[in-house]
Amino acid sequence: MSPLSVAVTYEPSQSGVVQFLKCAPEVAGENETGHINLFLKIKNTGAAFVKINKIEISVAGSATAAKAFTYGPNKELNLDPGQQINWVQPDDYVFDFPANMSLSLKFSAIGPNQPQVTTVTAPLAPHASPTPDGSYRFWAKVRDLRPGEFWQVHGFGHGQSNYAQLFAYDVGVGVESGTSHNNSLPNTQNTKNEDYRIWGKPIYSVADGTVTHFRNDFPTNDVPGQVDPEIEKFWKSVNDGGLGKDGNGNFFTITNTTGEETVLYAHMQIGSLNPKLTSIGAAVKKGDFLGLAGNSGASSNPHMHIHSNRANSNAKSWVDAPRPMPFRHAHAVAWTSLGSDASSAPWVKLNGRGVPTVDCAVWPSDAAVVDLKYVTLRHFAVNADGQVWIVKTDNKIRTTSDRLPGSGIFFDVDPKGSAKEVAVRGQKPYVIGMDDKIWEGLPTKWQVLSKSPTCRRVTIDGANGKVWVVALDNRILSFDPGPKTWTEHPGGGKAKDICVYNSIPYILGMDDRVYKSKGANGWGALPGQGKGKRIAVDAANGKLWVVGMDDGIWSSTGNGNWTEHPAKGKARDLFVHASLPYVIGTDDGLWRSVGAAGWQKMNIVEPA
């Protein structure tokens, strides 16, 4: 019996080499594995009819047994002479690496009569993404996780029904629950989208590239556990060049800078896509905010779908030959090995490898995994590039490598020391120490300013770097960091709080009204009846903000009147960065304005 006359074309492949995903082990100390998912074109190259009822794949030299895919009667693969069919691997194949060997894939097509076997081999190599380091940045950041949360990713492919999605992931967010995970918030039943921990989580770009397609107006499936029938009818029938018909919901496809691969991010919240990127050809940088995880399109509950495929110029940029997705900037561990003390779990850095081929918890950082806790604030300040410095309610000083804007902050930098208030000039912090004097932060220590008065308030003049303070006796002084001299305000006066715009100080006087400096001529009360407990200024336009006597949040209209924030709210303190007010709420948390829609509490965390 002669062998079957077939030829095979492989995907994923590059330059004739079949590609697989090299995966990190599920716990530290174990071995890496290889993950193979194939899309093949099988062609009958002979003159006779070919019937295939079994396909086997294996890796030469690996201890892992071949994987067989058998087709029963009336389900065989039948090819007339010259006919070509597509074959999508029905299940994942994971293999152990043979030691110190060049890898090759062994493919066997087997007919009903066992001697009818055709075996071909092809070189096999781990896939490298077309990025400078050969892998993608993980799509999330620590600052967006609540205490106890991790990303939930199953390292096996998301499904074999669509060849472009052979290495796709449907991902969520969960907390440890025994040897598994729980993806819902406390005291919820997953009856609403908001019950899911992933709902509203920011998604970030995994690589530099350009936008090839997007959609931002797809309706939400409001009932988890089912796709809304009317929405399903819509996305199955819509004729919009394919943007809705595949069920992506609100999505981006972004083609890598080299033009070789396209990444799909699907099912995001309606209207949440980054407006700076919602144009074809928009430039995207690795780590750019894309949108918020949602439940749109062909989605039965909140999650994020991501996959990479060969780039194309078709109407559907997200459908083409699959590409594995190795990642960096993340740790992973099997949920079964996580335990209640996450920081001591056997985490593995991905380091340019795929997620382990089990159900995994993922920490989105190269930095060591830590247990998180919420931070409560006494005072805070923000420098020009969005770096936040805080004094906690226990007076400890913290800062962050994160930058505003963003819905969360991870305070991962501990400069040591304690304080009562903080101000920032460039990268240099100034604090009111526990002795009420002004200290400046040096690279390795804190140093008290010479002849510092004892103070109750501190702020920085962004125009010239002067440090302005309200002393404990309510005098108003400034410190010039050049000659290192203290000067009392030439017009004298006393105050309760101070801010500075374009070298002009504004104060809350002893009568709680707002005053503007007139230099040596003293202070002039602003017209109107504005009074406050704390004062801040928008460095972009000079607009004044106060925490009112009723703890409300008010801003000056510039004509002597004050208007309450459209969403009202209560606060203890406030700061304005990039024309956006941030406040410490009455719960000691940090809140940011979302205009008339209200105030959004930020996720403020630090190592436990």
Side-chain angles (χ1 to χ4, degrees), residues 166-231:
L166 286 177
F167 289 95
Y169 299 115
D170 280 348
V171 304
V173 173
V175 295
E176 191 270 342
S177 177
T179 57
S180 185
H181 56 84
N182 185 330
N183 63 4
S184 61
L185 291 168
N187 305 313
T188 64
Q189 302 297 320
N190 283 356
T191 58
K192 304 189 296 295
N193 287 321
E194 294 83 354
D195 294 349
Y196 285 76
R197 290 181 177 274
I198 192 175
W199 178 257
K201 283 283 192 277
I203 306 299
Y204 302 93
S205 173
V206 300
D208 296 347
T210 57
V211 173
T212 43
H213 285 110
F214 68 91
R215 184 163 193 150
N216 199 23
D217 62 354
F218 207 97
T220 294
N221 295 308
D222 289 325
V223 181
Q226 68 183 52
V227 177
D228 184 288
E230 290 303 312
I231 295 176

Side-chain angles (χ1 to χ4, degrees), residues 375-378 393 572 583-591 601 604:
V375 182
T376 54
L377 281 66
R378 172 172 175 161
T393 50
R572 289 197 302 98
V583 302
I584 298 177
T586 54
D587 61 353
D588 298 326
L590 187 61
W591 298 70
K601 187 171 184 179
I604 307 297

Side-chain angles (χ1 to χ4, degrees), residues 186-448:
N187 305 313
T188 64
Q189 302 297 320
N190 283 356
T191 58
K192 304 189 296 295
N193 287 321
E194 294 83 354
D195 294 349
Y196 285 76
R197 290 181 177 274
I198 192 175
W199 178 257
K201 283 283 192 277
I203 306 299
Y204 302 93
S205 173
V206 300
D208 296 347
T210 57
V211 173
T212 43
H213 285 110
F214 68 91
R215 184 163 193 150
N216 199 23
D217 62 354
F218 207 97
T220 294
N221 295 308
D222 289 325
V223 181
Q226 68 183 52
V227 177
D228 184 288
E230 290 303 312
I231 295 176
E232 183 175 18
K233 186 187 302 183
F234 170 68
W235 69 256
K236 284 187 174 180
S237 63
V238 70
N239 182 15
D240 59 358
L243 293 185
K245 197 169 183 180
D246 273 17
N248 294 333
N250 302 298
F251 75 98
F252 273 115
T253 54
I254 298 173
T255 299
N256 187 276
T257 301
T258 65
E260 298 173 66
E261 293 185 12
T262 296
V263 178
L264 167 68
Y265 312 78
H267 310 312
M268 289 186 280
Q269 288 186 17
I270 184 171
S272 74
L273 271 57
N274 186 342
K276 295 179 180 178
L277 303 179
T278 49
S279 61
I280 303 304
V284 182
K285 290 294 184 182
K286 178 174 65 175
D288 279 355
F289 167 71
L290 298 180
L292 302 177
N295 185 17
S296 61
S299 169
S300 58
N301 55 61
H303 74 288
M304 195 267 288
H305 171 103
I306 186 169
H307 78 245
S308 177
N309 55 263
R310 181 175 57 194
N312 64 67
S313 58
N314 303 330
K316 296 182 179 181
S317 56
W318 57 93
V319 180
D320 210 296
R323 291 294 181 258
M325 296 191 78
F327 287 104
R328 289 188 181 272
H329 307 296
H331 287 70
V333 69
W335 280 104
T336 54
S337 299
L338 178 59
S340 58
D341 180 10
S343 61
S344 63
W347 292 92
V348 179
K349 272 190 180 183
L350 294 187
N351 274 354
R353 299 174 293 186
V355 177
T357 54
V358 293
D359 197 15
C360 292
V362 180
W363 168 261
S365 174
D366 270 338
V369 180
V370 296
D371 294 293
L372 300 176
K373 68 177 181 180
Y374 288 120
V375 182
T376 54
L377 281 66
R378 172 172 175 161
H379 192 246
F380 74 109
V382 186
N383 73 3
D385 72 353
Q387 182 183 15
V388 183
W389 285 77
I390 63 169
V391 175
K392 297 165 50 183
T393 50
D394 63 2
N395 297 113
K396 300 298 183 185
I397 306 164
R398 293 286 186 274
T399 188
T400 176
S401 55
D402 288 332
R403 296 291 186 271
L404 294 175
S407 59
I409 301 174
F410 176 39
F411 286 99
D412 56 346
V413 179
D414 181 4
K416 308 298 183 184
S418 298
K420 296 181 179 180
E421 291 206 354
V422 61
V424 191
R425 170 176 163 253
Q427 297 297 315
K428 178 175 285 192
Y430 293 85
V431 301
I432 300 177
M434 301 308 290
D435 59 359
D436 296 319
K437 293 184 177 182
I438 302 296
W439 295 68
E440 64 176 335
L442 302 178
T444 60
K445 65 179 180 178
W446 293 92
Q447 176 176 287
V448 68

Side-chain angles (χ1 to χ4, degrees), residues 4-275:
L4 301 176
S5 298
V6 295
V8 182
T9 303
Y10 300 90
E11 287 291 355
S13 69
Q14 288 182 313
S15 302
V17 179
V18 180
Q19 306 286 290
F20 70 94
L21 181 60
K22 182 166 66 171
C23 295
E26 62 184 78
V27 295
E30 295 192 355
N31 295 326
E32 298 172 327
T33 57
H35 180 195
I36 292 176
N37 250 342
L38 297 174
F39 167 65
L40 307 181
K41 294 183 182 294
I42 303 173
K43 184 175 183 178
N44 179 355
T45 58
F49 177 79
V50 165
K51 182 188 290 283
I52 301 172
N53 68 348
K54 186 178 183 180
I55 287 176
E56 285 187 352
I57 58 174
S58 61
V59 174
S62 173
T64 304
K67 186 125 185 176
F69 305 99
T70 303
Y71 301 90
N74 302 317
K75 295 183 179 180
E76 300 96 339
L77 307 179
N78 299 311
L79 292 89
D80 291 321
Q83 183 181 1
Q84 179 175 278
I85 61 170
N86 295 335
W87 183 79
V88 179
Q89 185 177 316
D91 193 15
D92 303 89
Y93 177 52
V94 177
F95 65 93
D96 294 323
F97 282 106
N100 302 318
M101 289 182 61
S102 296
L103 301 179
S104 60
L105 176 73
K106 182 179 178 182
F107 169 87
S108 296
I110 303 168
N113 300 303
Q114 287 300 310
Q116 287 187 293
V117 178
T118 292
T119 298
V120 293
T121 60
L124 184 67
H127 181 70
S129 304
T131 64
D133 58 16
S135 59
Y136 289 121
R137 179 199 182 281
F138 197 74
W139 59 77
K141 297 183 180 182
V142 173
R143 70 187 189 190
D144 301 314
L145 295 175
R146 303 177 184 93
E149 288 183 344
F150 298 95
W151 281 83
Q152 181 265 320
V153 186
H154 199 300
F156 274 151
H158 132 301
Q160 318 302 121
S161 60
N162 184 327
Y163 77 95
Q165 299 183 12
L166 286 177
F167 289 95
Y169 299 115
D170 280 348
V171 304
V173 173
V175 295
E176 191 270 342
S177 177
T179 57
S180 185
H181 56 84
N182 185 330
N183 63 4
S184 61
L185 291 168
N187 305 313
T188 64
Q189 302 297 320
N190 283 356
T191 58
K192 304 189 296 295
N193 287 321
E194 294 83 354
D195 294 349
Y196 285 76
R197 290 181 177 274
I198 192 175
W199 178 257
K201 283 283 192 277
I203 306 299
Y204 302 93
S205 173
V206 300
D208 296 347
T210 57
V211 173
T212 43
H213 285 110
F214 68 91
R215 184 163 193 150
N216 199 23
D217 62 354
F218 207 97
T220 294
N221 295 308
D222 289 325
V223 181
Q226 68 183 52
V227 177
D228 184 288
E230 290 303 312
I231 295 176
E232 183 175 18
K233 186 187 302 183
F234 170 68
W235 69 256
K236 284 187 174 180
S237 63
V238 70
N239 182 15
D240 59 358
L243 293 185
K245 197 169 183 180
D246 273 17
N248 294 333
N250 302 298
F251 75 98
F252 273 115
T253 54
I254 298 173
T255 299
N256 187 276
T257 301
T258 65
E260 298 173 66
E261 293 185 12
T262 296
V263 178
L264 167 68
Y265 312 78
H267 310 312
M268 289 186 280
Q269 288 186 17
I270 184 171
S272 74
L273 271 57
N274 186 342

